Amino acid sequence: MVTKQIGKPQNRVDGRDKVTGRARYAAEFSATDLAYGVVVSSAIAKGKIKEMDTSEALRVEGVLDIFTSENRPKLASYDSSFQDEDAPPGSPFRPLFNRDILFNMQPIALVVAETYELARYAASLVKVEYETEEHVTNFEAERTNAYEPEEYKSTPPPDPWGKPETALKEAEHRISEVYSHPSQHHNPMEMHASTAIWEGDGRITVYDKIQGVLNSQEYIMGVFGLAKEDVRVLSPFVGGAFGSGLRPQYQLFMAVMATLELKRSVRVVLTRPQMFSFGHRPKTVQQLSLGASADGTLEAVVHHAFAETSRFEDYSEDVIIWPGVLYKCENVKLSHKLVGLDVYTPLDMRAPGGTTGIFALECAIDELSYKVGMDPVEFRLKNYSVKDQNVNKPFSSKELQECYRQGAELFGWKNRNPQPRSMREGHNLIGWGVANGAWEATQKPSGAKAVLTKEGKLTVSSATADIGTGTYTIMSQIAAECMGLPIENVEFKLGDSSLPQSPLEGGSWTASTVGSAVKLVCEKLGEKLLELAQESDDSPFKEVSIEEVEFTDGQMRLKEDTSVAIPLTQLLKENQKDSVQVEAESKPADEQENYSPYSHSVVFVEVNVDEDLGTIKVTRVVSAVAGGRILNPKTAWSQILGGVVWGIGMALEEYSVMDHQYGRFINHDLAEYHVPVNADVHDVEVIFVDEEDQIVNPLGVKGLGEIGIVSVAPAIANAVYHATGKRVRDLPITLDKVM
C-alpha cells in the first residue's frame, strides 16, 4: 500500500547523484569545441582605463581572442539599461561597457584560449594603465551623505503611527543604542560559472549557476537580442547560492558574448577572489530607541537604518519592518537611508534585511527587558503582536507563543539565573540568550506540467531551481501523494528554461509557490483521468464527480466504495493512451490579500565564554519554528540546522574586510574569510511546532530557508551579555570586543 508522502522524512531523491558525482554543475558540462575564458579584473576602485596592452597575451599560442570594451561586439541593449528579475532601481552594471571603472575587481577583459591554463597565463600578461580618481568605500565617512532613494527595492518605510518621540521621552524605561554589522559574502561551495554551448545557426545552450534559469534566459535575450527559441538555459544542480545566484552575474555575459563571436563553445568560471567582486550583504548601521512603561509595556520604537549601496543602483532590504511585525506598540517611527559607495551593488543574502533588522531589534528588546527588570521571554510575550502593524492586517496564522513554550521547556529556560556573570563552569562563564523572529511566507504565480505514462510513471516539471534545499524531493513527494504513487515512480524535472514558468528560487517561497502548482497540475491530471474512465458507457465512474474519487496505491477508486477501483496503468491501456499530459498555472488566492502571512521562530542559545581568553563557544541551540505544514521533516531539519550554523558565523566570525586605501575586499578567500567549521557547531535541536494555515496557500506550507537564521545572531549576542555582562552591538563578536 502506498503510504502518505507529505510529512514523511524522505531521503533526497537526488542524493545518490550528488554523492556519486553523477550530478553535474555549470562548469562540468562540456563540448567537443570547448574553449576557456578567464576574466581580467581591475586593480583600482574608481577611474578610467587609459590604455590596455593585450599584444603579449595575444601572442601566446592557443589564445583565441581577448575581449575588452574596445572590441566587444555591438549589443542589443547596452545603450539602455536592461533590468533582470532581481535588479534594484538604477542602472545595472554592464560588463565591458566602456573604459570607466566603478569598483575594484571590475571585469575589464576576457581572455579566451584553447585551455584554461593558457587563458589564465595569458590573462596575467595583459597590461593596464589607469587614470585613477578618488574613491569612497568608507561607510562611516560617507554616512553624512545618506539619502532616501526615490524607489525602494524593499518595502518602503511605513508612515509613523502614534507619537513616537513624545512617547519615548515620557517612557519610564528607555534605551538608545547603535547596532551594526559589516559587509558579508555568500561564499557558496560552487563558484559562479557559465558554459555556453554553440549549437550552430545562432542557437546556444547555456549551463549557468543561477537560482532561476528564466532570469538568465531573459537576460541573454535582452542583452544579445536573441529570440527565445535560440536560447536554452539549464541549471540542474546548484552547489549553494544563498542569494548570490538570483541575478545573472558577469561570467554569464562573458561566456555568451565569446560563444556568439567565436561561434564555438566557451566556459567561464570565476575564481574565489572574483566571487567577492559582485554582491554581498550590505554593511548596515541601525539606531534603535525603545521606551517601556514601569510594567514592561512597549510604548515607543524609533528605528533608523543606514545601509550601503553602489553608486549606480539603489539596493535596499526590509531592515526596519520588524518592530511592526514582531511587537505590539502604539508609537512607532521607522526610516531607511542608503549610503552610496564605490562598490558593486549589494545582493540578497540569506534572509536579506531580516537577519540585519532582527539582530538589532532583538538585542535592543533584550536590553530593555533587563532595564525593566523582566525575564527576556516574559517581556517579549507581554508585548506579543496579533497583527502586522505595518499594514494593519492579522496574521494568516501565528504559533509563536507555542514556539516560546516548547523551546523554553526543551532548553530548560526556567533554570536560568537572570543575573549576568552568575553562571559558570570552572573558568568558563555560561550565558543563556533568546531571540524571536519572523519571515514572510509568500506565494507567487507558477506553472507546472505533469505527464503520466501507461507504465505508471509520472513526470512533473517546472523551471524552478534546487539550490540544495530539497526542491527535487519535496515536489516529488507532493506529486506522489496527490496521484497515489510510490515516490520511486515519480520524477520531478527543474532547472530548464523550456519547462513551465516559475519565479526565482529565493525568499523561502519555492515550496509554497511551485508546490501549489504541482498540487494543482496533479489535480487536473486526476480530472483528466476521470474523464477517460467515464468514456466507457458501463464505467462505474460514469456519474461520479472528482470529489468522489481518490488516487492511492496506483489506482483511482471511489471513496465510498473502495472496491470500485481501476489501476492507472490499466486505465491508459484501455483508452489506448501511451501517456496523459496536462499543464496548469497556480496563483495566490484573492483571500490572501486580507492577511499578513509569516513564519515565526524562537531561538534559545547557550554560550561558554573563557573568562581569561574571551573565546566564545556556542554549546547549545534550541530552535523552535512555526513554519506551517512541514512537507519533509528531514530536509526541513537540514534547512533550520543550516540557518543555525550560518547564524553562528554571522554572530562570531563573518567579516568582509575592506581596505579603504585600495577600495577592495582583502580577505577574499576561504582561508581569511571565516565561516563555522565542525568544531564550532555543537548541540543543535530543532522543534517544528504544529501550525495549520488554510490561507497561506493550498498546501499550508510557509517555507523554511530564511526563518532558520534570522533569530540566531541576536540570541548569541544576548547570551554573551548574560555570560559576561558586556553588550557587544557590533558584529562579529570577537574576543577583543568581549575582553
Side-chain angles (χ1 to χ4, degrees):
M1 180 176 177
V2 176
T3 59
K4 290 286 186 182
Q5 295 292 340
I6 295 177
K8 178 182 176 182
Q10 170 72 40
N11 290 338
R12 292 175 185 260
V13 297
D14 55 327
R16 183 173 293 275
D17 285 346
K18 286 185 173 180
V19 299
T20 59
R22 285 201 298 265
R24 287 197 290 170
Y25 297 82
E28 296 181 317
F29 292 89
S30 195
T32 54
D33 64 338
L34 186 65
Y36 299 81
V38 168
V39 175
V40 179
S41 304
S42 70
I44 67 168
K46 190 175 183 180
K48 292 182 182 295
I49 298 171
K50 285 178 65 177
E51 186 177 345
M52 185 182 297
D53 183 358
T54 60
S55 58
E56 188 177 355
L58 284 167
R59 284 197 293 270
V60 175
E61 186 177 352
V63 171
L64 301 173
D65 207 343
I66 299 177
F67 295 93
T68 70
S69 63
E70 301 300 307
N71 70 340
R72 64 163 172 80
K74 184 172 175 57
L75 301 169
S77 75
Y78 249 40
D79 293 327
S80 61
S81 296
F82 177 77
Q83 299 281 10
D84 69 84
E85 188 178 338
D86 195 52
S91 178
F93 171 67
R94 290 167 281 180
L96 309 186
F97 180 60
N98 55 26
R99 293 188 173 207
D100 292 346
I101 302 298
L102 306 179
F103 56 92
N104 207 314
M105 294 197 74
Q106 175 179 317
I108 57 174
L110 179 72
V111 178
V112 184
E114 295 288 355
T115 68
Y116 172 73
E117 292 77 11
L118 276 173
R120 188 170 182 179
Y121 170 66
S124 72
L125 302 178
V126 175
K127 296 179 176 63
V128 186
E129 186 179 344
Y130 299 97
E131 180 182 307
T132 61
E133 298 177 31
E134 186 177 352
H135 62 266
V136 176
T137 54
N138 190 316
F139 182 92
E140 290 302 329
E142 193 67 9
R143 203 170 118 191
T144 54
N145 296 320
Y147 61 94
E148 294 182 11
E150 293 183 8
E151 181 184 353
Y152 285 87
K153 180 182 188 288
S154 58
T155 307
D159 293 333
W161 60 87
K163 298 179 179 179
E165 285 90 354
T166 303
L168 183 63
K169 186 177 179 180
E170 296 176 354
E172 180 77 17
H173 301 286
R174 296 186 297 273
I175 69 145
S176 185
E177 299 293 350
V178 174
Y179 305 85
S180 62
H181 72 66
S183 304
Q184 300 163 346
H185 280 82
H186 305 73
N187 276 308
M189 288 287 286
E190 179 196 14
M191 263 84 80
H192 276 263
S194 300
T195 302
I197 308 295
W198 176 252
E199 305 286 5
D201 298 324
R203 293 178 296 107
I204 57 171
T205 299
V206 181
Y207 295 92
D208 191 32
K209 182 200 171 82
I210 193 71
Q211 289 172 244
V213 288
L214 295 176
N215 200 15
S216 288
Q217 183 189 46
E218 289 287 337
Y219 175 84
I220 293 168
M221 290 163 53
V223 171
F224 296 97
L226 300 180
K228 189 172 185 176
E229 58 268 21
D230 292 333
V231 184
R232 185 183 181 191
V233 179
L234 298 104
S235 184
F237 293 96
V238 180
F242 317 114
S244 68
L246 289 172
R247 302 186 69 179
Q249 303 300 350
Y250 60 77
Q251 91 287 337
L252 175 64
F253 169 87
M254 298 290 195
V256 172
M257 173 191 65
T259 292
L260 294 174
E261 273 298 288
L262 299 174
K263 293 182 171 49
R264 64 178 291 179
S265 305
V266 176
R267 174 185 297 155
V268 179
V269 183
L270 299 187
T271 64
R272 181 60 66 179
Q274 286 171 339
M275 293 286 287
F276 285 73
S277 66
F278 64 87
H280 54 276
R281 195 190 300 281
K283 176 179 174 63
T284 308
V285 173
Q286 301 173 71
Q287 173 78 48
L288 260 159
S289 301
L290 306 180
S293 64
D295 70 350
T297 301
L298 187 61
E299 294 186 330
V301 176
V302 179
H303 188 176
H304 301 302
F306 300 85
E308 68 172 309
T309 188
S310 68
R311 299 286 193 189
F312 47 90
E313 289 178 309
D314 285 340
Y315 175 84
S316 63
E317 300 179 334
D318 283 331
V319 177
I320 46 87
I321 67 169
W322 306 104
V325 171
L326 289 172
Y327 295 104
K328 178 176 63 178
C329 185
E330 301 301 323
N331 305 283
V332 176
K333 183 178 181 180
L334 311 168
S335 74
H336 187 175
K337 292 185 176 181
L338 302 180
V339 178
L341 300 175
D342 295 312
V343 297
Y344 192 88
T345 308
L347 183 60
D348 296 335
M349 183 168 165
R350 196 173 191 171
T355 51
T356 297
I358 291 172
F359 158 68
L361 175 64
E362 283 300 280
C363 287
I365 287 287
D366 210 70
E367 294 199 45
L368 189 57
S369 73
Y370 277 89
K371 211 157 198 183
V372 172
M374 290 180 68
D375 177 89
V377 170
E378 182 186 350
F379 182 76
R380 286 170 168 85
L381 287 172
K382 181 176 181 61
N383 296 289
Y384 189 86
S385 176
V386 295
K387 70 175 182 179
D388 180 354
Q389 290 183 282
N390 296 317
V391 292
N392 197 30
K393 293 178 182 180
F395 295 106
S396 59
S397 61
K398 185 178 182 181
E399 292 293 342
L400 182 59
Q401 288 178 325
E402 191 62 16
C403 289
Y404 275 114
R405 190 190 68 78
Q406 293 187 29
E409 184 177 347
L410 181 60
F411 188 81
W413 184 260
K414 66 181 180 181
N415 300 319
R416 172 182 177 271
N417 187 325
Q419 188 66 32
R421 296 185 71 92
S422 62
M423 298 169 64
R424 64 169 60 236
E425 199 173 89
H427 60 86
N428 283 323
L429 299 169
I430 298 174
W432 288 3
V434 65
N436 81 149
W439 186 259
E440 190 175 9
T442 307
Q443 181 190 357
K444 294 178 176 288
S446 182
K449 181 169 75 172
V451 180
L452 179 69
T453 68
K454 63 183 180 182
E455 291 78 26
K457 303 293 184 181
L458 175 65
T459 300
V460 183
S461 57
S462 181
T464 187
D466 189 333
I467 58 175
T469 52
T471 306
Y472 276 113
T473 307
I474 60 172
M475 298 306 159
S476 298
Q477 288 178 270
I478 294 167
E481 178 158 318
C482 287
M483 298 311 302
L485 296 170
I487 199 166
E488 303 81 43
N489 285 14
V490 177
E491 180 184 12
F492 185 70
K493 291 184 176 180
L494 54 71
D496 185 339
S497 61
S498 68
L499 299 177
Q501 169 270 335
S502 73
L504 295 166
E505 180 170 42
S508 297
W509 60 59
T510 300
S512 165
T513 297
V514 182
S516 294
V518 169
K519 183 176 187 295
L520 180 62
V521 80
C522 287
E523 289 170 350
K524 289 189 174 297
L525 178 61
E527 292 171 3
K528 194 161 187 175
L529 292 171
L530 179 59
E531 290 173 6
L532 282 180
Q534 291 173 335
E535 289 184 6
S536 171
D537 290 337
D538 58 351
S539 170
F541 298 95
K542 190 69 177 175
E543 301 298 328
V544 304
S545 67
I546 191 64
E547 290 76 22
E548 296 174 274
V549 301
E550 62 184 4
F551 294 88
T552 187
D553 299 328
Q555 301 176 324
M556 180 175 67
R557 69 188 188 189
L558 291 180
K559 292 178 181 178
E560 295 298 322
D561 183 1
T562 56
S563 66
V564 179
I566 182 171
L568 301 184
T569 53
Q570 180 182 333
L571 177 60
L572 265 66
K573 288 172 184 174
E574 286 182 359
N575 285 271
Q576 298 181 322
K577 297 279 188 182
D578 291 331
S579 64
V580 176
Q581 175 178 313
V582 293
E583 291 195 38
E585 290 188 9
S586 69
K587 62 180 182 179
D590 293 340
E591 185 187 15
Q592 292 182 23
E593 288 296 317
N594 301 321
Y595 296 88
S596 190
Y598 278 87
S599 54
H600 296 87
S601 67
V602 178
V603 172
F604 295 87
V605 166
E606 177 185 84
V607 299
N608 283 11
V609 182
D610 189 299
E611 192 172 20
D612 301 320
L613 302 177
T615 52
I616 304 166
K617 182 186 294 184
V618 178
T619 49
R620 279 197 304 139
V621 178
V622 171
S623 180
V625 177
R629 188 182 188 189
I630 303 302
L631 296 173
N632 183 337
K634 192 169 189 177
T635 55
W637 175 87
S638 181
Q639 281 292 286
I640 303 303
L641 175 63
V644 169
V645 172
W646 200 334
I648 293 171
M650 180 178 180
L652 304 179
E653 301 180 34
E654 292 195 54
Y655 187 178
S656 299
V657 180
M658 172 63 75
D659 184 328
H660 298 302
Q661 181 179 352
Y662 298 102
R664 177 183 291 207
F665 292 110
I666 56 172
N667 58 335
H668 49 25
D669 56 52
L670 292 181
E672 301 298 330
Y673 185 93
H674 296 162
V675 297
V677 296
N678 286 348
D680 300 316
V681 183
H682 297 273
D683 292 341
V684 179
E685 298 191 69
V686 179
I687 300 169
F688 290 113
V689 172
D690 289 339
E691 185 173 53
E692 187 173 333
D693 195 322
Q694 302 291 332
I695 297 162
V696 68
N697 54 65
L699 286 165
V701 304
K702 288 187 172 181
L704 300 170
E706 264 89 359
I707 192 61
I709 186 177
V710 293
S711 316
V712 181
I716 293 172
N718 295 336
V720 169
Y721 170 74
H722 181 238
T724 65
K726 183 165 184 178
R727 286 281 179 191
V728 180
R729 303 179 182 92
D730 176 36
L731 295 182
I733 307 170
T734 48
L735 59 88
D736 56 309
K737 296 174 184 176
V738 172
M739 295 183 70

